[in-house]
C-alpha cells in the first residue's frame, strides 16, 4: 500500500475515534445529523488533501538508450 493510502487510512481511523467520543459525550445528538454529515465530508476532503500532499513527489527516471 502506498504511503498516501496509509496516511488516509490513519486519518479515517482517527476520525472514527473522534466521532465515537463525540457520540459517547452526546455532542452528536445536539448538532444533528445534517451537520454531522457536513463535518464528515469536510474532514474527509481535508484528509484526502493532506494525504496527497504528504504522498511525495513523482520522480521521472531517465533511461540512457544507446
Amino acid at each position: 500500500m502506498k504511503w498516501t493510502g496509509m496516511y488516509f487510512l490513519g486519518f479515517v481511523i482517527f476520525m472514527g475515534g473522534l466521532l465515537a467520543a463525540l457520540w459517547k459525550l452526546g455532542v452528536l445528538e445536539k448538532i444533528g445529523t445534517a451537520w454531522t454529515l457536513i463535518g464528515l465530508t469536510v474532514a474527509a476532503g481535508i484528509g484526502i488533501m493532506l494525504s496527497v500532499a504528504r504522498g511525495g513527489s513523482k520522480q521521472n527516471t531517465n533511461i540512457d538508450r544507446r
Side-chain angles (χ1 to χ4, degrees), residues 2-55:
K2 293 185 179 182
W3 291 112
T4 303
M6 289 296 293
Y7 187 87
F8 187 66
L9 178 65
F11 185 79
V12 168
I13 292 171
F14 169 74
M15 290 304 299
L18 185 64
L19 281 173
L22 291 174
W23 172 70
K24 188 69 175 171
L25 292 172
V27 175
L28 293 180
E29 291 177 6
K30 293 177 185 175
I31 62 173
T33 306
W35 284 109
T36 302
L37 292 175
I38 291 169
L40 282 174
T41 304
V42 170
I46 290 171
I48 291 170
M49 289 189 307
L50 288 174
S51 65
V52 169
R54 306 250 178 176

Side-chain angles (χ1 to χ4, degrees), residues 61-66:
T61 304
N62 292 328
I63 300 174
D64 187 23
R65 297 182 183 175
R66 295 182 186 186

